[in-house]
Amino acid sequence: MKHSTQLLLSAFASLYLASCSPEKSPPVTPSRTPVPPVKTTANTAYRTPATSGAAMRNPDVNMPSNFDKAGGISFSRVAAPGPYIAITFDDGPHASNTPRLLDILRARNVKATFYVIGRSVDMYPGIVRRTVAEGHEIGNHSYTHTKLSGLSNDRVISEMRKTEDAIFNASGVRPRTMRPPYGALTQSQRQMVHQTFGYPTILWDVDPLDWKRPGSSVVTSRILSGTKNGSIILVHDLHGSSVDAMPETLDGLLRKGFRFVTVSQLLAMAGTAQASAGSPAAGGLHGTGD
Ligand code: NI
């Protein structure tokens, strides 16, 4: 039964891959690099692996993540008191791209936030477990990656709850923030989701449109030029080409003096966190790639 369920989920995943962006996605190709085994030995202390070549390292930041007093229910950027930023990865977990990204992040001590699709969490719970074990934050990105703004409250709640349960079953932690697919959630839905789950709606202010596959160097330069203190950066670990861009991107941001924190930490560090109206900066293109 488990096997046939997985086959069914794989079929759903293929459908999803075809519909995630308005453009046609090329067929999914197998990973070019073998997926590293996930170590599960409880007594083995975690060590950052050596990297080939120099990799800058995000400093350890002992930041609180309690954002209850931050106020506001929608954020696309935060008024941070320093060069703090949150990089977010949407639409995973992916069988090979997400583990590859986790290696890249680990080598630089960068903590990120992953807005995962519940259906994919049920397919790859071990990857979510590893993500949490390595200090990253998990956010709720719906169960089926559907456009929530046209759905009834009951269906929105169902999408959120099934995903929260999938994340909890996989990792033992519950998400604390959500990001609507395509950035699409009405103001009253945002209030309803906040009341029901306690989630603020997290959008973004830096969007390299990586899902259009503009090439790694373009993704990198768009992120480097667009990132400011308190930025929330949108990337998709579903796409191998987006992960390809991350070593240069992360190194470039570190070189510019930015410090990576999770979304909850970013919200918490600003007592005067600004709740934005929540619409992604320019609408249009920005709303389609999430
Ligand atoms: Ni998405």
Side-chain angles (χ1 to χ4, degrees):
M1 183 185 133
K2 172 135 203 218
H3 188 64
S4 62
T5 304
Q6 284 191 334
L7 281 177
L8 192 61
L9 287 167
S10 297
F12 277 133
S14 306
L15 280 175
Y16 162 70
L17 284 168
S19 62
C20 182
S21 68
E23 295 194 338
K24 270 217 161 28
S25 300
V28 182
T29 51
S31 164
R32 281 161 295 173
T33 50
V35 181
V38 179
K39 285 190 180 142
T40 53
T41 314
N43 292 330
T44 307
Y46 169 73
R47 286 168 193 266
T48 300
T51 56
S52 56
M56 295 188 69
R57 194 180 149 81
N58 192 51
D60 288 315
V61 282
N62 188 19
M63 294 276 183
S65 60
N66 184 349
F67 58 82
D68 291 352
K69 294 195 174 72
I73 60 166
S74 285
F75 298 87
S76 53
R77 190 184 161 206
V78 166
Y84 299 103
I85 57 176
I87 192 161
T88 63
F89 295 99
D90 284 18
D91 297 354
H94 179 277
S96 57
N97 293 330
T98 304
R100 192 157 64 87
L101 172 62
L102 288 171
D103 288 347
I104 292 167
L105 295 170
R106 190 169 62 179
R108 292 161 178 79
N109 197 37
V110 167
K111 307 302 182 207
T113 304
F114 290 77
Y115 285 98
V116 295
I117 298 169
R119 184 170 68 189
S120 302
V121 173
D122 279 338
M123 287 174 71
Y124 306 114
I127 297 175
V128 176
R129 200 154 47 238
R130 176 184 166 188
T131 305
V132 169
E134 295 187 359
H136 304 291
E137 181 173 333
I138 306 288
N140 192 325
H141 195 44
S142 83
Y143 196 79
T144 61
H145 203 272
T146 189
K147 195 170 182 180
L148 300 174
S149 54
L151 300 187
S152 67
N153 281 356
D154 282 352
R155 286 196 57 196
V156 171
I157 287 172
S158 167
E159 285 275 338
M160 293 293 109
R161 182 152 289 141
K162 281 171 73 179
T163 305
E164 180 164 319
D165 289 347
I167 293 168
F168 183 77
N169 290 338
S171 69
V173 301
R174 296 192 179 277
R176 301 178 64 205
T177 68
M178 71 85 70
R179 170 172 287 159
Y182 315 103
L185 201 65
T186 68
Q187 199 58 38
S188 66
Q189 285 176 320
R190 291 179 197 190
Q191 284 164 357
M192 184 275 294
V193 164
H194 187 254
Q195 277 177 357
T196 308
F197 295 95
Y199 300 155
T201 296
I202 305 300
L203 299 165
W204 57 87
D205 70 314
V206 181
D207 182 0
L209 302 176
D210 59 308
W211 55 274
K212 288 186 166 185
R213 303 168 196 270
S216 291
S217 62
V218 174
V219 170
T220 296
S221 67
R222 284 175 178 169
I223 292 175
L224 291 184
S225 64
T227 300
K228 304 180 274 286
N229 291 359
S231 278
I232 299 171
I233 304 166
L234 170 66
V235 190
H236 298 81
D237 59 324
L238 182 68
H239 303 306
S241 55
S242 301
V243 175
D244 291 342
M246 285 305 104
E248 283 296 316
T249 302
L250 300 175
D251 291 345
L253 290 168
L254 288 169
R255 216 174 286 125
K256 290 180 97 169
F258 288 112
R259 300 293 174 248
F260 292 90
V261 295
T262 68
V263 163
S264 288
Q265 287 174 319
L266 192 66
L267 295 187
M269 72 170 57
T272 55
Q274 285 181 343
S276 79
S279 295
L285 287 175
H286 288 75
T288 58
D290 170 50

